[in-house]
Amino acid sequence: MENIEEFDVIVVGGGPSGSTLAALVAQQDHSVLVLEKESFPRYQIGESLLPSTVHGICRLTGAADELAKAGFPLKRGGTFRWGANPEPWQFTFSVSSKMAGPTSTAYQVERSKFDKILLDNARRVGARVQEQCAVLDVIEDGDRVTGVRYTDADGVERRAMAKFVVDASGNKSRLYNRVGGKREYSEFFRSLALFGYFEGGKRMPEPSRFNILCVAFESGWFWYIPLSDTLTSVGAVVRREMAEKVQGDPEKALQSLIAECPMISDYLSPAERVTEGDYGQIRVRKDYSYHQTEFWRPGMMLVGDAACFVDPVFSSGVHLATYSGLLAARSINSVLAGQVKEEAAMQEFEARYRREYSVFYEFLVSFYEMHRDENSYFWQAKKLTNTAYPELESFVNLVGGVSSGESAFTSAEALAERMHSHSQEFSDAVGKMADGSDGGWGDMLNSSVVRESMAEGSRVQMHALLGEDAEQELPLFAGGLIPSPDGLSWVHAPTE
């Protein structure tokens, strides 16, 4: 007779979103099962982090100290050859008073090592982790998801039951459509990425040695991420309609794109491409900007790339993954503790997650808008005026009723006008910074898209560092919830 085990939470996928959620729920003495189809360490892309992940969320999960011991390169900011100014410009996290001192850095990480540290940490704090277990489908009881069917490491089909099932299985999830709704792809960010790894590439001078370098060129843009003193992740992002540039021999395709971009070509002039092991393959990823129109249903939630992803130019992927894991953990902990009704907790999770996604989406639209190359199809296609209103209407529907204050909008036309205004504000600030004008840094930090993209990460960092001494937050939405003093659940805001 089959032994059906029962848990408080089943997490499908052991990447950053799943391991974050598992750790934060297990810390509250709830029973957690993580089912991961692969065996860690395993290869993954998305190697550049933001400070809020390192000093905020990983501090809450208990993984921060292990990350500090791992020897990952310290990332102090980013360097860009992007925009109207022909010279590279850069930002540092330390210019923000909210990220001053030791919290003004992040890491460039080999994801195989980073993800294993996070998953091992979830084990350490009490989650049961089973690798080489492929989840086949969810189990339902009426409208509610109550468990999963999966095959174990021996290929035996099993069932497990839980109060909540969380899909954290990434962009190739088999389960995401079980919450309902559909996955909508962004036309604005509908691109292809072709990437590989190189040994011996050049480094920028200190203190920018391990910055992420992003370089725009006629056909798109490159990322150049130093993963060690000698190993570099290099990728080209091109418009999907330019797929012929990445077809055929991937080696020739990547080298041809590198030759189009003088700065990247120069940085790689002494380098050799890695041709063996996990880093020996040239890979292609496509259609990587999307969102699911539903994020939850009774008993089930989507986190990380199973729910949404947006263009990687500002290293937002792991941030959104771990942040969604934190939000989902707060909601689950609150419900399991009987503090908040399930619907209210899930609505808070979805509203905050959609808001953070929308903040980075708008930031990236502004980032693309400020680069002018009238001769390039890639850059012309990125102009908001050339983007059909249906996409903006879809975006309004995505975040409708979520944003407030200056982020409020009621139509695609109003959204387009606001995005143009924010893009120009950001572009002007970058121009001042790049040419050395006084106030450039302050203007950039005070620009709407930068200020909003840093806000929530800063709040999470302060909560992680100060704990119960952190200033009590206000609800982000009318009638919404606020984080508990320890940051691990939701509570109702006090009424005056």
Side-chain angles (χ1 to χ4, degrees):
M1 185 175 179
E2 181 185 3
N3 178 29
I4 302 176
E5 295 186 277
E6 295 189 11
F7 299 86
D8 291 318
V9 182
I10 296 172
V11 182
V12 183
S17 60
S19 57
T20 294
L21 182 145
L24 294 172
V25 174
Q27 283 177 7
Q28 299 294 91
D29 295 325
H30 303 305
S31 58
V32 181
L33 172 65
V34 180
L35 297 172
E36 166 55 49
K37 69 176 181 179
E38 298 188 54
S39 180
F40 279 37
R42 55 88 177 97
Y43 173 81
Q44 186 58 271
I45 192 64
E47 297 142 330
S48 198
L49 305 186
L50 295 180
S52 61
T53 298
V54 175
H55 303 292
I57 294 169
C58 289
R59 180 65 58 193
L60 289 172
T61 64
D65 290 342
E66 284 302 310
L67 290 176
K69 296 175 187 175
F72 294 125
L74 210 57
K75 170 186 173 183
R76 301 183 186 280
T79 301
F80 296 87
R81 166 59 197 93
W82 199 293
N85 195 305
E87 294 302 314
W89 55 275
Q90 62 184 20
F91 75 91
T92 59
F93 297 124
S94 61
V95 299
S96 167
S97 60
K98 295 181 180 178
M99 294 185 186
T103 64
S104 63
T105 57
Y107 299 123
Q108 312 285 21
V109 298
E110 294 183 63
R111 283 288 301 278
S112 59
K113 299 176 182 177
F114 173 78
D115 289 11
K116 188 173 189 306
I117 289 172
L118 266 57
L119 189 59
D120 286 347
N121 177 71
R123 276 194 184 98
R124 182 184 63 81
V125 299
R128 186 206 289 187
V129 178
Q130 295 180 194
E131 299 178 55
Q132 296 182 296
C133 291
V135 175
L136 304 173
D137 203 353
V138 300
I139 299 169
E140 298 174 314
D141 182 2
D143 292 336
R144 188 172 190 85
V145 172
T146 56
V148 299
R149 294 190 298 109
Y150 70 98
T151 54
D152 65 16
D154 296 320
V156 177
E157 183 170 329
R158 299 188 180 278
R159 290 185 292 168
M161 310 302 286
K163 297 181 179 73
F164 291 99
V165 172
V166 180
D167 182 9
S169 57
N171 67 308
K172 295 181 180 178
S173 163
R174 297 179 181 181
L175 303 180
Y176 70 89
N177 56 4
R178 301 295 265 141
V179 301
K182 62 180 180 177
R183 181 174 286 186
E184 294 189 347
Y185 288 93
S186 166
E187 287 298 327
F188 191 84
F189 293 116
R190 204 170 178 91
S191 302
L192 298 168
L194 181 71
F195 52 96
Y197 295 81
F198 293 78
E199 278 283 347
K202 292 182 181 179
R203 294 288 179 262
M204 290 176 282
E206 294 290 3
S208 306
R209 179 176 177 80
F210 291 116
N211 273 14
I212 183 173
L213 173 63
C214 295
V215 182
F217 69 116
E218 183 175 328
S219 294
W221 65 272
F222 268 98
W223 75 70
Y224 188 95
I225 302 174
L227 298 177
S228 73
D229 283 331
T230 60
L231 179 66
T232 309
S233 171
V234 181
V237 176
V238 300
R239 183 79 175 164
R240 193 180 185 194
E241 287 83 348
M242 304 166 78
E244 72 278 358
K245 285 183 175 286
V246 299
Q247 290 175 344
D249 183 342
E251 182 81 44
K252 290 182 179 177
L254 184 57
Q255 291 297 337
S256 176
L257 288 165
I258 290 169
E260 279 189 48
C261 185
M263 189 172 184
I264 296 297
S265 183
D266 174 60
Y267 270 69
L268 289 176
S269 58
E272 292 187 4
R273 190 177 73 79
V274 177
T275 56
E276 297 180 348
D278 285 344
Y279 295 142
Q281 178 184 349
I282 294 178
R283 293 175 165 89
V284 176
R285 187 169 175 184
K286 61 182 180 180
D287 286 342
Y288 49 69
S289 293
Y290 56 83
H291 68 266
Q292 185 72 6
T293 57
E294 302 286 344
F295 281 5
W296 71 279
R297 61 178 282 195
M300 184 177 179
M301 311 167 78
L302 303 181
V303 295
D305 292 1
C308 58
F309 187 76
V310 70
D311 187 286
V313 70
F314 198 63
S315 309
S316 58
V318 175
H319 164 71
L320 287 172
T322 55
Y323 178 68
S324 66
L326 169 64
L327 295 178
R330 285 174 174 171
S331 295
I332 290 171
N333 286 339
S334 304
V335 176
L336 292 178
Q339 298 169 328
V340 178
K341 297 289 187 184
E342 181 175 342
E343 185 173 6
M346 297 304 158
Q347 286 176 345
E348 189 71 28
F349 152 76
E350 178 163 354
R352 286 182 181 251
Y353 193 9
R354 288 188 185 282
R355 183 183 188 278
E356 192 72 352
Y357 177 86
S358 74
V359 162
F360 276 89
Y361 186 101
E362 289 194 61
F363 178 92
L364 294 166
V365 167
S366 295
F367 208 78
Y368 273 110
E369 278 269 290
M370 84 174 187
H371 189 78
R372 311 294 178 189
D373 188 341
E374 302 306 325
N375 298 318
S376 165
Y377 174 76
F378 179 89
W379 293 105
Q380 281 290 87
K382 295 300 183 189
K383 297 294 173 276
L384 194 60
T385 49
N386 290 352
T387 304
Y389 270 162
E391 163 140 1
L392 295 183
E393 288 166 356
S394 171
F395 184 76
V396 171
N397 292 335
L398 167 70
V399 298
V402 170
S403 297
S404 59
E406 67 176 306
S407 297
F409 43 81
T410 56
S411 68
E413 188 173 358
L415 174 61
E417 184 177 338
R418 189 168 61 87
M419 283 186 172
H420 273 310
S421 172
H422 288 184
S423 297
Q424 189 60 52
E425 177 188 35
F426 182 54
S427 181
D428 290 347
V430 168
K432 288 183 180 180
M433 187 172 62
D435 65 20
S437 301
D438 290 340
W441 276 116
D443 287 349
M444 192 184 87
L445 284 172
N446 288 322
S447 65
S448 300
V449 292
V450 174
R451 187 175 66 248
E452 290 178 15
S453 67
M454 295 174 68
E456 185 63 10
S458 296
R459 278 192 286 267
V460 171
Q461 279 184 243
M462 295 305 292
H463 218 129
L465 289 169
L466 298 178
E468 296 193 10
D469 292 330
E471 183 177 344
Q472 187 178 72
E473 296 180 25
L474 298 174
L476 281 184
F477 320 104
L481 305 170
I482 61 173
S484 59
D486 63 6
L488 300 185
S489 59
W490 300 120
V491 296
H492 293 282
T495 55
E496 296 183 348

